Amino acid sequence: GQQVMQIPQYQHVQEGEDFTTYCNSSTTLSNIQWYKQRPGGHPVFLIQLVKSGEVKKQKRLTFQFGEAKKNSSLHITATQTTDVGTYFCAGVRGGNMLTFGGGTRLMVKP
Amino acid sequence: DAGVIQSPRHEVTEMGQEVTLRCKPISGHNSLFWYRQTMMRGLELLIYFNNNVPIDDSGMPEDRFSAKMPNASFSTLKIQPSEPRDSAVYFCASSSQGVYEQFFGPGTRLTVL
Protein backbone atom coordinates (compact mmCIF):
# COMPACT_ATOMS: atom_id res chain seq x y z
CA GLY A 1 0.00 0.00 0.00
CA GLN A 2 0.88 3.63 -0.19
CA GLN A 3 3.54 4.80 2.28
CA VAL A 4 4.38 8.39 3.08
CA MET A 5 7.64 9.19 4.83
CA GLN A 6 8.63 12.48 6.42
CA ILE A 7 12.00 13.77 7.54
CA PRO A 8 13.22 14.91 9.92
CA GLN A 9 11.18 13.54 12.81
CA TYR A 10 12.22 16.41 15.07
CA GLN A 11 13.76 19.82 14.49
CA HIS A 12 14.93 22.33 17.07
CA VAL A 13 15.53 25.84 15.73
CA GLN A 14 16.31 29.21 17.21
CA GLU A 15 13.59 31.75 16.68
CA GLY A 16 14.25 33.53 13.41
CA GLU A 17 15.90 30.55 11.73
CA ASP A 18 14.37 28.79 8.75
CA PHE A 19 12.81 25.32 8.87
CA THR A 20 12.09 22.71 6.19
CA THR A 21 10.31 19.36 6.34
CA TYR A 22 10.35 16.86 3.49
CA CYS A 23 7.76 14.33 2.46
CA ASN A 24 8.24 11.33 0.15
CA SER A 25 5.67 8.89 -1.14
CA SER A 26 6.23 5.34 -2.36
CA THR A 27 3.66 5.96 -5.12
CA THR A 28 2.66 8.87 -7.33
CA LEU A 29 0.17 11.09 -5.56
CA SER A 30 -2.89 12.72 -7.09
CA ASN A 31 -2.82 15.44 -4.45
CA ILE A 32 -0.94 16.14 -1.26
CA GLN A 33 -2.18 17.98 1.79
CA TRP A 34 -0.38 19.54 4.74
CA TYR A 35 -1.69 19.77 8.28
CA LYS A 36 -0.41 21.35 11.48
CA GLN A 37 -1.04 19.95 14.94
CA ARG A 38 -0.26 22.12 17.94
CA PRO A 39 0.81 20.34 21.15
CA GLY A 40 -2.28 18.80 22.72
CA GLY A 41 -4.40 19.81 19.73
CA HIS A 42 -5.83 18.27 16.62
CA PRO A 43 -4.58 18.38 13.02
CA VAL A 44 -5.61 21.53 11.16
CA PHE A 45 -5.58 21.73 7.38
CA LEU A 46 -3.02 24.12 5.90
CA ILE A 47 -3.06 23.56 2.15
CA GLN A 48 -3.56 21.16 -0.73
CA LEU A 49 -1.23 20.85 -3.73
CA VAL A 50 -2.52 19.31 -6.94
CA LYS A 51 -0.28 20.13 -9.89
CA SER A 52 3.17 18.78 -10.67
CA GLY A 53 5.79 21.32 -9.66
CA GLU A 54 3.25 23.49 -7.87
CA VAL A 55 4.48 26.09 -5.39
CA LYS A 56 2.14 27.85 -2.98
CA LYS A 57 2.86 30.43 -0.31
CA GLN A 58 1.06 31.36 2.86
CA LYS A 59 2.86 34.28 4.48
CA ARG A 60 6.12 32.75 5.77
CA LEU A 61 5.19 29.20 4.66
CA THR A 62 6.15 27.88 1.22
CA PHE A 63 4.81 24.56 -0.02
CA GLN A 64 6.17 22.67 -3.02
CA PHE A 65 4.97 19.60 -4.91
CA GLY A 66 7.61 17.68 -6.83
CA GLU A 67 7.62 17.32 -10.59
CA ALA A 68 7.01 13.58 -10.32
CA LYS A 69 4.28 14.14 -7.71
CA LYS A 70 6.03 11.79 -5.30
CA ASN A 71 7.54 14.33 -2.96
CA SER A 72 6.73 17.60 -1.29
CA SER A 73 8.24 20.09 1.10
CA LEU A 74 7.19 22.77 3.54
CA HIS A 75 9.57 25.63 4.26
CA ILE A 76 9.05 28.18 7.01
CA THR A 77 11.05 31.39 6.81
CA ALA A 78 12.12 33.13 10.02
CA THR A 79 10.36 30.83 12.47
CA GLN A 80 8.36 32.23 15.36
CA THR A 81 7.30 30.59 18.60
CA THR A 82 3.77 30.37 17.20
CA ASP A 83 5.08 27.93 14.56
CA VAL A 84 5.65 25.27 17.23
CA GLY A 85 3.83 22.03 16.49
CA THR A 86 3.94 18.92 14.35
CA TYR A 87 3.62 19.29 10.60
CA PHE A 88 2.11 16.40 8.67
CA CYS A 89 1.94 15.75 4.98
CA ALA A 90 -0.83 13.45 3.73
CA GLY A 91 -1.23 11.77 0.39
CA VAL A 92 -4.74 11.67 -1.06
CA ARG A 93 -5.86 8.22 -2.16
CA GLY A 94 -9.10 6.54 -3.16
CA GLY A 95 -11.52 9.41 -3.01
CA ASN A 96 -11.16 11.34 0.21
CA MET A 97 -8.86 9.00 2.12
CA LEU A 98 -5.52 10.26 3.37
CA THR A 99 -2.27 8.49 4.18
CA PHE A 100 -0.42 10.60 6.71
CA GLY A 101 3.33 10.85 7.02
CA GLY A 102 4.90 10.44 10.43
CA GLY A 103 5.13 14.18 10.95
CA THR A 104 7.94 16.57 11.79
CA ARG A 105 7.86 18.06 15.25
CA LEU A 106 9.13 21.65 15.24
CA MET A 107 10.41 23.22 18.43
CA VAL A 108 11.40 26.89 18.46
CA LYS A 109 13.67 28.38 21.08
CA PRO A 110 12.90 32.03 21.82
CA ASP B 1 -20.38 26.32 12.92
CA ALA B 2 -19.44 24.29 15.99
CA GLY B 3 -16.98 22.12 14.13
CA VAL B 4 -16.63 18.39 14.63
CA ILE B 5 -17.76 17.38 18.11
CA GLN B 6 -16.36 14.38 19.93
CA SER B 7 -17.23 12.89 23.29
CA PRO B 8 -15.95 12.06 25.75
CA ARG B 9 -12.75 14.11 25.62
CA HIS B 10 -11.02 11.77 28.04
CA GLU B 11 -11.82 8.19 28.93
CA VAL B 12 -10.06 6.00 31.46
CA THR B 13 -11.20 2.42 31.64
CA GLU B 14 -10.00 -0.97 32.72
CA MET B 15 -8.94 -3.77 30.44
CA GLY B 16 -11.89 -5.83 29.28
CA GLN B 17 -14.43 -3.02 29.49
CA GLU B 18 -16.44 -1.77 26.53
CA VAL B 19 -15.61 1.73 25.29
CA THR B 20 -17.80 3.85 23.02
CA LEU B 21 -16.50 7.00 21.39
CA ARG B 22 -18.92 9.44 19.77
CA CYS B 23 -18.67 11.90 16.91
CA LYS B 24 -20.91 14.54 15.40
CA PRO B 25 -19.57 15.72 12.03
CA ILE B 26 -19.98 19.20 10.61
CA SER B 27 -23.48 19.68 9.25
CA GLY B 28 -23.60 19.08 5.51
CA HIS B 29 -20.42 17.01 5.39
CA ASN B 30 -20.99 13.57 3.94
CA SER B 31 -17.60 11.97 4.55
CA LEU B 32 -16.54 10.86 8.02
CA PHE B 33 -13.25 9.38 9.16
CA TRP B 34 -12.02 7.77 12.37
CA TYR B 35 -8.28 7.99 13.10
CA ARG B 36 -6.07 6.71 15.87
CA GLN B 37 -2.90 8.54 16.91
CA THR B 38 -0.06 7.02 18.93
CA MET B 39 3.59 7.89 19.29
CA MET B 40 4.62 4.56 17.82
CA ARG B 41 2.27 4.35 14.84
CA GLY B 42 1.45 7.99 14.15
CA LEU B 43 -1.91 8.96 12.67
CA GLU B 44 -3.73 5.93 11.24
CA LEU B 45 -7.01 5.87 9.36
CA LEU B 46 -9.31 3.28 10.92
CA ILE B 47 -12.50 3.61 8.88
CA TYR B 48 -14.05 5.90 6.27
CA PHE B 49 -17.79 6.49 5.79
CA ASN B 50 -19.37 8.19 2.80
CA ASN B 51 -23.06 9.09 2.98
CA ASN B 52 -23.30 6.99 6.18
CA VAL B 53 -21.99 3.86 4.42
CA PRO B 54 -18.65 2.31 5.44
CA ILE B 55 -16.40 2.49 2.39
CA ASP B 56 -13.06 1.34 3.74
CA ASP B 57 -12.49 -0.35 7.10
CA SER B 58 -9.15 -1.92 6.26
CA GLY B 59 -7.51 0.10 9.01
CA MET B 60 -9.66 -1.35 11.79
CA PRO B 61 -7.15 -3.29 13.89
CA GLU B 62 -9.26 -6.32 14.72
CA ASP B 63 -12.75 -7.58 15.45
CA ARG B 64 -12.75 -5.86 18.82
CA PHE B 65 -13.24 -2.59 16.95
CA SER B 66 -16.51 -1.65 15.30
CA ALA B 67 -17.92 1.59 13.93
CA LYS B 68 -21.39 2.71 12.96
CA MET B 69 -22.95 5.73 11.37
CA PRO B 70 -26.71 5.44 11.82
CA ASN B 71 -27.38 8.89 10.35
CA ALA B 72 -25.57 11.85 8.81
CA SER B 73 -25.03 13.57 12.14
CA PHE B 74 -23.72 10.82 14.38
CA SER B 75 -21.09 8.10 14.42
CA THR B 76 -19.69 5.77 17.07
CA LEU B 77 -16.49 3.81 17.43
CA LYS B 78 -16.74 0.91 19.84
CA ILE B 79 -13.98 -1.21 21.36
CA GLN B 80 -15.08 -4.40 23.08
CA PRO B 81 -13.21 -5.70 25.00
CA SER B 82 -10.64 -2.95 25.42
CA GLU B 83 -6.95 -3.69 25.94
CA PRO B 84 -4.06 -1.52 27.21
CA ARG B 85 -2.58 -1.35 23.69
CA ASP B 86 -5.74 0.48 22.57
CA SER B 87 -4.62 3.51 24.59
CA ALA B 88 -4.35 6.37 22.12
CA VAL B 89 -5.99 9.58 20.96
CA TYR B 90 -8.91 8.86 18.67
CA PHE B 91 -9.88 11.58 16.19
CA CYS B 92 -13.00 11.91 14.13
CA ALA B 93 -12.83 14.06 10.99
CA SER B 94 -15.35 15.08 8.36
CA SER B 95 -15.23 16.58 4.89
CA SER B 96 -17.54 17.65 2.08
CA GLN B 97 -18.03 15.64 -1.09
CA GLY B 98 -15.45 16.64 -3.67
CA VAL B 99 -13.56 18.84 -1.22
CA TYR B 100 -10.65 16.99 0.27
CA GLU B 101 -9.93 19.22 3.26
CA GLN B 102 -10.66 17.27 6.42
CA PHE B 103 -11.87 18.96 9.60
CA PHE B 104 -10.75 17.17 12.74
CA GLY B 105 -12.52 17.05 16.06
CA PRO B 106 -10.65 17.69 19.33
CA GLY B 107 -10.11 13.96 19.88
CA THR B 108 -10.79 11.49 22.66
CA ARG B 109 -7.82 10.50 24.79
CA LEU B 110 -8.37 6.87 25.76
CA THR B 111 -6.41 5.19 28.53
CA VAL B 112 -6.95 1.50 29.14
CA LEU B 113 -5.45 0.29 32.41
Side-chain angles (χ1 to χ4, degrees):
Chain A
Q2 182 185 78
Q3 290 187 328
V4 178
M5 310 296 290
Q6 263 186 274
I7 56 170
Q9 278 189 299
Y10 305 94
Q11 183 84 59
H12 284 87
V13 299
Q14 195 73 39
E15 188 173 20
E17 291 182 339
D18 292 357
F19 160 77
T20 305
T21 173
Y22 300 91
C23 180
N24 287 283
S25 171
S26 59
T27 59
T28 301
L29 300 168
S30 58
N31 308 330
I32 193 162
Q33 296 182 1
W34 285 90
Y35 289 77
K36 176 183 178 181
Q37 184 176 20
R38 295 183 186 274
H42 57 277
V44 175
F45 175 83
L46 294 176
I47 206 162
Q48 175 167 269
L49 304 174
V50 177
K51 298 177 183 176
S52 169
E54 188 170 15
V55 178
K56 286 188 175 180
K57 292 190 176 184
Q58 289 180 351
K59 298 183 180 178
R60 295 178 294 102
L61 278 60
T62 301
F63 303 85
Q64 292 189 331
F65 202 6
E67 292 291 340
K69 300 185 77 174
K70 294 183 73 173
N71 57 71
S72 181
S73 65
L74 159 59
H75 179 83
I76 302 178
T77 303
T79 55
Q80 300 174 358
T81 54
T82 54
D83 295 325
V84 163
T86 301
Y87 293 85
F88 293 95
C89 64
V92 178
R93 62 181 173 98
N96 282 6
M97 291 187 291
L98 300 177
T99 301
F100 279 85
T104 296
R105 184 179 172 189
L106 172 64
M107 289 155 280
V108 180
K109 288 178 278 189
Chain B
D1 199 322
V4 176
I5 299 172
Q6 289 187 248
S7 65
R9 295 292 307 277
H10 302 272
E11 176 83 23
V12 180
T13 191
E14 293 188 344
M15 183 174 64
Q17 296 299 305
E18 178 179 296
V19 175
T20 299
L21 311 181
R22 297 172 176 79
C23 176
K24 176 179 169 52
I26 292 173
S27 177
H29 284 189
N30 59 358
S31 294
L32 184 137
F33 310 83
W34 282 100
Y35 291 90
R36 178 173 68 177
Q37 186 174 41
T38 61
M39 289 294 293
M40 290 297 294
R41 301 178 65 89
L43 200 54
E44 304 173 278
L45 175 65
L46 300 178
I47 188 167
Y48 159 46
F49 290 89
N50 192 49
N51 293 322
N52 312 337
V53 176
I55 303 300
D56 190 314
D57 65 354
S58 58
M60 296 286 263
E62 47 198 273
D63 291 346
R64 296 184 299 106
F65 285 69
S66 63
K68 293 182 179 179
M69 192 165 186
N71 57 62
S73 59
F74 184 65
S75 177
T76 59
L77 177 67
K78 186 176 293 186
I79 308 172
Q80 166 64 16
S82 58
E83 297 182 3
R85 60 192 169 122
D86 301 330
S87 297
V89 179
Y90 291 81
F91 289 106
C92 174
S94 69
S95 70
S96 297
Q97 183 74 29
V99 176
Y100 293 124
E101 173 183 356
Q102 293 188 12
F103 294 81
F104 282 73
T108 296
R109 181 173 295 276
L110 173 65
T111 303
V112 183
L113 303 174

